[in-house]
């Protein structure tokens, strides 16, 4: 088996043999899903020896390890990525060809893993790739969601959510490990008792027990023999602690919904409590597993903070803090001070938002009922924090600002910042706002904890694998060193005046646009002009990301061309892709509006020659890998000061798209790197928006009454232009006009339209456009997650590399 990928002949023998042993028939009689399964298990088995050696190295050398807790890991498909990282893709492709099998057909059998939704999960997936590729011991922990977030269907222009049955044909990459299961306790009550040493201790009794079973997925580094683990936790009934006060069927239902799907509907109390249960299930299972393994290796937990670091990705895993305190004290005999030392030296927190309403808070009643002992610990952390601050002379107002428990709510971010040794933002602007505004009192208390780690993407997946023609061009000019060291991409700048290179960039973009146009024809039945500007906004739908401003711009251009025969725009294909949270009414209305505008525009014989509007259904990683390499314009138009970082901006950048955006999130750093001549920045700056909010001088009605074009756009929402029912889009009108245009959509709209037209003029000079594309590609090395991870390692995690000899 170790030589099955040595050459195509060995591959063929092994493939034929496995088809027979697994399915009992010759490979020629296997269904295509079975052929995919055979290939996938071969690839997984090909990394098994390295997986073992990586674990052995960490154990033998007593290395410190990272555990990355995240509710999402948007890993997409793994087949191509894993084969490329193992260096076996070409052998498999040639071997399959000898059997008359097209490898691309097998690739398309793989489902996107239903383990995430947006940028948070994709970032976590990129991080795992970079951690392994840089050779560091770091592992992910997540829930094995049976039905993912949801599968989006567009029916009559509206989003409809159906279950994402991604596990229907099993997950070829996972290995179930029932012997590594742990038990997670919910409800019950905390009681005190005297241990054998005479110490008074606490324990949880009368709890509902749930067995957490791990499924391990290999995370394969790029051609370095390092394999880490993404551990997915699944809930099953306890074997020894079945509930006495609940029927087994009700118990099963409660267990099944734990791993049913990502982000249960939080518009109901049941959904909110289910979210809390999920968060605790994840961190308790992961921490129990780590503690058990550490005790087995070292025989003590006194050095745990020297051998583990836990990164909490956003607020969802913050319950890890009181839970590890509980595990150390209640189950391992630690005193408070000893446990607190360990916890405060091995927990780190990444903040992903500066919007106060998005900072997670839980009602005391939820936590105290669901997790009584955990609540007692949170209460004690809060009590000790208040006493400490009073002893340091802080007044009651300051203490109230930073308290963990107030007004009947537990403020999870406050709990994290008081406890962890590191708090990082994810872009320079974001971190600056955190320090001076969102967490200014905490920054005053703990300035040494705060640091910035600008996000990144794995360039191997999003450039090397997703855009092979362009990657080959870069390699042909500067060598392949950039694959391991993305900083070397800057060498490509030497060719910015090379006409042959610039022409080739344009040719590759044209090829990629043909592929996307084919995809759109198949999935949307829309014919798009491949010579038009592909103007793309693909990301989670939220008001602050301003997909609404984008469609307002399109509505303006449509109306302008209908009313003025002398006005015509450069032909555009406007491409959207976004999921709205099931209970987010406004976001779902915006999707409906986009599709209503698309229907009218695309069926207008006069205007459709100049614009088409396309909404990509069920946008995800696999569709992104087709869309992003084909984009000419990258829409990054969030309200300044609202986007923590963004990562789609980086994916578009490395694939040679030009950023049309505000100075928000990582756009600020993109603009600094490429220069204003190689992007198009518009709109209010963060400080200008802050000033408008402070003085209350902005009113959308002022804009409406003084700008006829904007009045025309807004009125079209309620005059029957886009729907026979004039009230269909009134909620959008009311959101902007009667809720004071919270995200300054109308205020920035004219600047946005002007910037769009300016970019059209740039596009007219194809050579100059290609030069800007090249500059973006060459400068994108900074935004590799390899750089981000190395900064985490140097400043926070303090890991050493795994070295496995050939």
């Amino acid at each position: 088996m170790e030589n099955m990928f040595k050459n195509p002949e060995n591959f063929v023998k092994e493939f034929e043999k496995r088809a027979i042993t697994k399915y009992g028939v010759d490979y020629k009689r296997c269904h295509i899903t079975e052929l995919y399964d055979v290939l996938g298990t071969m690839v997984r088995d090909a990394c098994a020896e390295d997986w073992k050696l990586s674990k052995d190295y960490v154990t033998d050398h007593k290395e410190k390890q990272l555990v990355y807790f995240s509710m999402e890991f948007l890993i997409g498909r793994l087949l191509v990525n894993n084969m490329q990282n193992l260096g076996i893709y070409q052998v498999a492709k040639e071997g399959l060809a000898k059997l008359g099998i097209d490898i691309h057909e097998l690739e398309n059998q793989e489902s996107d893993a239903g383990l995430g939704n947006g940028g948070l999960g994709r970032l976590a997936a990129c991080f795992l790739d970079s951690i392994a590729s840089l050779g560091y011991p770091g592992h992910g922990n997540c829930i094995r969601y049976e039905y993912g977030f949801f599968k989006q269907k567009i029916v009559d222009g509206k989003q409809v959510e159906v279950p994402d049955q991604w596990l229907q044909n099993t997950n070829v990459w996972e290995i179930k490990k029932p012997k590594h299961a742990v038990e997670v306790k919910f409800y019950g009550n905390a009681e005190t008792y005297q241990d054998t040493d005479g110490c008074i201790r606490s324990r949880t009794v009368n709890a509902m027990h749930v067995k957490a079973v791990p499924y391990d997925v290999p995370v394969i580094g790029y051609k370095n023999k390092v394999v880490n683990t993404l551990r997915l936790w699944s809930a099953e009934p306890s074997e020894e602690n079945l509930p006495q006060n609940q029927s087994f069927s009700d118990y099963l239902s409660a267990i099944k919904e734990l791993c049913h799907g990502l982000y249960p509907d939080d518009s109901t109390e049941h959904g909110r409590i289910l979210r809390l249960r999920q968060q605790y299930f994840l961190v308790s299972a992961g921490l129990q597993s780590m503690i058990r393994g550490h005790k087995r290796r070292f025989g003590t937990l006194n050095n745990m903070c020297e051998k583990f670091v836990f990164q909490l990705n956003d607020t969802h895993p913050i319950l890890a803090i009181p839970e590890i305190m509980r595990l150390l004290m209640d189950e391992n005999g630690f005193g408070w001070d000893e446990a607190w030392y360990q916890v405060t030296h091995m927990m780190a927190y990444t903040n992903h938002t500066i919007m106060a309403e998005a900072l997670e808070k839980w009602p005391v009643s939820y936590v105290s009922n669901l997790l009584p002992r955990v609540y007692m610990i949170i209460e004690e952390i809060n009590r000790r924090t208040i006493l400490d601050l009073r002893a340091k002379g802080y007044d009651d107002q300051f203490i109230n600002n930073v308290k963990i428990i107030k007004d009947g709510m537990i403020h999870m971010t406050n709990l994290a910042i008081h406890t962890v040794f590191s708090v990082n933002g994810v872009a320079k602007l974001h971190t600056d706002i955190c320090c001076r505004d969102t967490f200014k009192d905490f920054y005053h208390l703990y300035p040494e904890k705060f640091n910035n780690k600008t996000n990144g993407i794995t360039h191997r997946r999003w450039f090397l694998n997703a855009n092979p023609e362009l990657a080959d061009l870069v390699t042909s000019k500067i060598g392949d060193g950039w694959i391991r060291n993305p900083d070397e991409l800057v060498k490509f700048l030497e060719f910015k005046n090379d006409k042959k290179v610039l022409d080739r960039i344009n040719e590759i973009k044209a090829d990629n646009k043909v592929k996307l146009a084919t995809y759109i024809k198949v999935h949307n039945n829309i014919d798009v002009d491949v010579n038009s500007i592909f103007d793309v906004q693909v990301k989670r739908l939220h008001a602050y990301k301003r997909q609404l401003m984008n469609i307002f711009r399109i509505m303006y251009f449509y109306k302008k061309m209908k009313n003025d025969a002398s006005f015509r725009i450069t032909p555009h294909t406007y491409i959207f892709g976004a999921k709205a949270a099931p209970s987010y009414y406004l976001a779902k209305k915006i999707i409906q509006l986009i599709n209503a505008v698309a229907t009218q525009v695309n069926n207008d014989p006069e205007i459709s020659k100049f614009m088409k509007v396309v909404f990509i259904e069920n946008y995800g990683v696999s569709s992104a890998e087709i869309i992003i390499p084909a984009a000419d314009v990258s829409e990054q138009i969030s309200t300044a000061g609202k986007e923590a970082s963004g990562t789609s901006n980086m994916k578009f950048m490395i694939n040679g798209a030009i950023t049309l955006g505000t100075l928000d999130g990582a756009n600020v750093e993109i603009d600094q790197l490429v220069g204003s001549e190689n992007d198009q920045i518009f709109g209010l700056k963060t400080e200008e928006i802050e000033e408008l909010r402070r003085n209350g001088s902005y009113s959308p009605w002022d804009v409406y009454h003084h700008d006829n074009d904007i009045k025309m756009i807004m009125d079209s929402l309620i005059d029957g232009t886009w729907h026979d029912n004039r009230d269909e889009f009134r909620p959008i009108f009311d959101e902007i006009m009667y809720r004071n245009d919270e995200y300054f959509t109308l205020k920035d709209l004219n600047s946005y339209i002007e910037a769009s037209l300016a970019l059209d003029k740039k596009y007219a000079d194809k050579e100059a456009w290609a030069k800007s594309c090249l500059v973006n590609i060459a400068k994108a090395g900074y935004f590799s997650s390899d750089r981000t991870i190395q900064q985490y390692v140097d400043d926070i995690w303090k890991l050493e590399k795994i070295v496995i000899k050939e």
Side-chain angles (χ1 to χ4, degrees):
M1 189 172 73
E2 61 184 308
N3 292 318
M4 62 183 167
F5 287 99
K6 184 178 181 181
N7 54 52
E9 291 71 30
N10 283 24
F11 172 87
V12 167
K13 287 179 187 175
E14 185 67 22
F15 191 90
E16 290 177 322
K17 176 183 169 186
R18 287 187 178 222
I20 293 169
T21 55
K22 179 76 180 281
Y23 293 105
V25 295
D26 184 87
Y27 79 91
K28 294 176 183 175
R29 297 175 61 190
C30 285
H31 188 266
I32 191 165
T33 57
E34 295 168 340
L35 296 175
Y36 160 74
D37 179 64
V38 171
L39 177 60
T41 52
M42 286 175 66
V43 175
R44 189 193 68 204
D45 292 349
C47 77
E49 180 67 18
D50 290 342
W51 206 358
K52 172 193 175 295
L53 291 173
S54 297
K55 293 172 186 173
D56 289 348
Y57 185 94
V58 171
T59 300
D60 295 345
H61 291 78
K62 297 181 171 57
E63 293 292 357
K64 185 179 186 181
Q65 299 178 78
L66 161 75
V67 177
Y68 196 89
F69 277 120
S70 180
M71 293 301 287
E72 295 186 46
F73 284 90
L74 195 59
I75 57 178
R77 297 172 175 174
L78 292 178
L79 182 63
V80 174
N81 196 68
N82 285 346
M83 287 194 290
Q84 293 282 20
N85 284 6
L86 287 167
I88 59 177
Y89 184 86
Q90 200 58 36
V91 168
K93 183 178 181 181
E94 291 174 16
L96 289 168
K98 286 177 180 288
L99 297 171
I101 301 169
D102 182 349
I103 193 171
H104 300 306
E105 291 185 11
L106 299 194
E107 292 165 10
N108 290 329
Q109 297 308 305
E110 184 174 11
S111 298
D112 276 32
L115 301 174
N117 172 39
L120 184 79
R122 188 52 236 169
L123 178 78
C126 284
F127 278 8
L128 287 190
D129 179 275
S130 284
I131 291 164
S133 294
L134 290 173
Y136 293 110
H139 315 287
N141 266 243
C142 190
I143 290 175
R144 184 179 180 265
Y145 303 106
E146 194 171 350
Y147 296 104
F149 187 41
F150 62 82
K151 184 176 181 180
Q152 180 193 57
K153 289 190 173 294
I154 302 299
V155 180
D156 297 328
K158 300 176 183 177
Q159 171 178 294
V160 175
E161 303 94 24
V162 299
D164 175 12
Q165 300 183 61
W166 71 285
L167 288 171
Q168 191 171 33
N169 293 320
T170 73
N171 176 11
V172 72
W173 306 109
E174 66 186 14
I175 297 174
K176 184 177 182 180
K177 297 200 167 175
K179 295 303 179 187
H180 294 258
V182 298
E183 297 234 328
V184 178
K185 300 175 191 174
F186 296 99
Y187 303 107
N189 54 281
E191 70 171 19
T192 56
Y193 69 101
Q194 192 172 40
D195 68 13
T196 54
D197 296 325
C199 296
I200 302 299
R201 298 203 175 276
S202 295
R203 62 188 171 201
T204 303
V205 297
N206 304 318
M208 182 180 86
H209 290 245
V210 176
K211 184 164 73 169
V213 181
Y215 289 71
D216 285 357
V217 176
V219 181
I220 302 167
Y222 182 76
K223 297 182 180 179
N224 65 353
K225 301 183 76 65
V226 172
V227 181
N228 290 327
T229 302
L230 170 59
R231 174 157 282 187
L232 307 175
W233 291 99
S234 184
E236 294 185 8
S238 171
E239 293 176 14
E240 299 176 2
N241 296 288
L242 292 175
Q244 302 299 312
N245 58 351
Q246 185 181 29
S247 71
F248 188 66
S249 60
D250 288 346
Y251 173 57
L252 276 182
S253 296
I255 288 172
K256 190 167 181 61
E257 68 179 357
L258 256 180
C259 300
H260 182 273
L262 172 66
Y263 299 142
D265 181 3
D266 62 356
S267 65
T268 67
E269 184 172 69
H270 179 81
R272 290 192 291 274
I273 292 173
L274 180 54
R275 284 197 182 198
L276 184 62
R277 286 172 58 205
Q278 285 186 332
Q279 292 177 10
Y280 182 70
F281 175 76
L282 168 62
V283 298
S284 181
L287 291 170
Q288 287 186 62
S289 176
M290 298 308 143
I291 285 174
R292 185 167 63 186
H294 187 85
K295 285 171 72 174
R296 188 175 62 248
R297 285 191 296 272
F298 294 96
T300 178
L301 294 176
N302 291 331
N303 64 341
M304 193 170 178
C305 66
E306 299 167 19
K307 299 302 177 183
F308 274 110
V309 58
F310 296 94
Q311 190 71 39
L312 309 179
N313 191 32
D314 210 3
T315 54
H316 313 120
I318 288 173
L319 281 171
I321 291 168
E323 173 62 3
I324 197 166
M325 288 291 291
R326 184 190 73 81
L327 290 168
L328 291 174
M329 291 190 300
D330 295 4
E331 300 189 11
N332 291 281
F334 276 59
W336 180 278
D337 290 341
E338 293 82 8
W340 187 247
Y341 178 85
Q342 294 291 326
V343 174
T344 55
H345 286 78
M346 63 182 171
M347 288 281 172
Y349 162 60
T350 299
N351 172 267
H352 285 275
T353 184
I354 46 192
M355 296 195 290
E357 65 271 21
L359 298 173
E360 205 163 42
K361 300 183 286 290
W362 289 112
V364 165
S365 59
Y366 287 13
V367 181
S368 60
N369 181 46
L370 184 69
L371 311 167
R373 177 61 179 142
V374 165
Y375 175 68
M376 289 173 62
I377 292 168
I378 295 172
E379 212 172 28
E380 181 65 10
I381 295 172
N382 184 58
R383 187 186 72 85
R384 289 176 180 237
T385 300
I386 291 170
L387 290 176
D388 181 57
L389 293 174
R390 282 182 180 152
K392 291 176 179 175
Y394 290 101
D395 61 30
D396 288 346
Q397 180 59 53
F398 183 92
I399 292 172
N400 188 63
N401 290 344
V402 299
K403 278 198 303 190
I404 296 166
I405 303 173
K406 52 186 171 181
D407 303 323
M409 304 293 285
I410 302 169
H411 294 249
M412 302 305 289
T413 307
N414 295 11
L415 171 60
I417 298 175
H418 281 303
T419 308
V420 300
F421 69 89
S422 169
V423 179
N424 73 277
V426 292
K428 187 178 184 303
L429 175 63
H430 167 235
T431 304
D432 289 346
I433 294 172
C434 283
C435 294
R436 74 166 188 262
D437 183 9
T438 313
F439 303 124
K440 63 181 179 182
D441 290 334
F442 287 100
Y443 183 65
H444 174 78
L445 281 176
Y446 313 115
E448 72 286 353
K449 290 187 180 186
F450 285 81
N451 59 95
N452 177 57
K453 299 289 173 281
T454 296
N455 282 342
I457 59 164
T458 171
H459 61 287
R460 285 171 290 273
R461 176 157 205 154
W462 291 105
F463 188 54
L464 178 66
N465 296 346
N467 203 343
E469 280 189 274
L470 191 54
D472 287 347
L473 173 64
V474 171
T475 297
S476 71
K477 296 302 175 185
I478 66 171
D480 64 2
W482 63 270
I483 300 173
R484 293 181 189 273
N485 181 11
D487 288 344
E488 291 189 16
L489 280 171
V490 75
K491 295 177 182 177
F492 197 44
L493 274 179
E494 297 172 20
F495 299 91
K496 69 178 182 180
N497 295 312
D498 186 321
K499 190 174 184 308
K500 287 184 179 178
V501 171
L502 299 178
D503 288 345
R504 182 63 186 139
I505 288 173
N506 283 332
E507 287 171 8
I508 292 167
K509 183 66 74 175
D511 290 344
N512 290 332
K513 288 168 79 170
V514 169
K515 291 172 189 170
L516 177 53
T518 302
Y519 180 93
I520 290 169
K521 178 62 177 174
V522 170
H523 290 85
N524 296 70
N525 197 28
I526 298 172
D527 294 301
V528 300
D529 178 5
V530 295
N531 295 310
S532 66
I533 296 175
F534 278 24
D535 186 312
V536 183
Q537 187 178 19
V538 285
K539 54 183 75 233
R540 177 173 62 91
L541 209 144
H542 194 286
Y544 83 82
K545 294 178 184 286
R546 298 201 294 192
Q547 286 95 341
L548 186 58
M549 187 168 72
N550 190 344
I551 198 64
F552 279 178
R553 171 189 62 154
I554 294 166
M555 290 155 62
Y556 165 78
F557 285 140
Y558 177 76
K559 287 276 194 178
K560 179 84 169 168
M561 286 192 284
K562 291 296 282 184
N563 296 331
D564 182 355
S566 67
F567 176 78
R568 293 294 182 260
I569 63 169
T570 304
H572 273 68
T573 299
Y574 297 103
I575 298 167
F576 293 85
K579 288 183 177 180
S583 59
Y584 192 173
Y585 179 74
L586 175 65
K588 294 172 84 167
K589 272 291 169 191
I590 293 170
I591 288 175
Q592 186 185 353
L593 177 62
I594 292 168
N595 283 300
V597 172
T599 298
Q600 186 151 327
V601 167
N602 298 345
N603 291 292
D604 187 317
E606 177 192 3
I607 304 301
S608 61
K609 293 179 286 188
F610 298 97
M611 60 160 60
K612 290 280 180 73
V613 181
V614 177
F615 188 93
I616 302 290
E617 186 181 70
N618 202 43
Y619 174 70
V621 175
S622 293
S623 52
E625 290 169 337
I626 299 169
I627 295 166
I628 290 172
D632 294 307
V633 176
S634 164
E635 295 281 347
Q636 308 297 333
I637 59 176
S638 53
T639 309
K642 289 297 180 184
E643 185 73 85
S645 166
T647 52
S648 71
N649 44 10
M650 305 167 189
K651 294 165 196 156
F652 282 107
M653 177 190 185
I654 200 169
N655 281 281
I658 307 303
T659 300
L660 172 58
T662 52
L663 283 176
D664 193 27
N667 294 354
V668 175
E669 290 155 275
I670 289 175
D671 182 60
Q672 289 169 348
L673 280 168
V674 303
S676 58
E677 66 277 17
N678 296 306
D679 62 10
Q680 191 71 46
I681 299 298
F682 72 91
L684 294 168
K685 297 179 177 64
T686 303
E687 56 272 20
E688 293 170 329
I689 284 176
E690 289 173 350
E691 180 59 27
L692 287 173
R693 284 205 173 99
R694 265 194 303 271
N695 62 35
S697 61
Y698 172 63
S699 167
W701 289 106
D702 291 340
V703 181
Y704 177 86
H705 288 305
H706 292 93
D707 188 318
N708 288 332
D709 289 331
I710 284 178
K711 185 177 187 301
M712 172 188 70
I713 292 165
M714 296 306 297
D715 286 349
S716 76
L717 293 170
I718 54 174
D719 67 7
T721 298
W722 310 110
H723 200 282
D724 292 340
N725 178 1
R726 294 184 174 213
D727 289 329
E728 191 68 33
F729 297 119
R730 184 171 289 278
I732 297 176
F733 181 94
D734 291 350
E735 180 69 28
I736 295 290
M737 304 309 300
Y738 293 107
R739 291 178 177 80
N740 210 44
D741 190 11
E742 182 179 0
Y743 297 108
F744 298 88
T745 299
L746 300 189
K747 186 72 172 173
D748 269 348
L749 184 54
N750 281 327
S751 175
Y752 179 40
I753 290 168
E754 290 169 10
S756 300
L757 294 171
L759 208 53
D760 289 359
K761 288 182 181 177
K762 288 184 180 181
Y763 187 78
D765 185 340
K766 291 298 175 60
E767 188 171 311
W769 185 270
K771 188 180 293 187
S772 285
C773 294
L774 185 149
V775 171
N776 274 270
I777 296 163
K779 293 285 189 175
Y782 175 77
F783 293 108
S784 167
S785 48
D786 286 9
R787 183 267 313 154
T788 313
I789 290 303
Q790 192 58 55
Q791 290 179 343
Y792 273 100
V793 169
D794 293 343
D795 300 341
I796 303 173
W797 300 338
K798 310 296 183 183
L799 305 174
E800 297 294 332
K801 290 192 176 187
I802 298 169
V803 181
I804 297 176
K805 295 174 182 175
E806 293 289 339

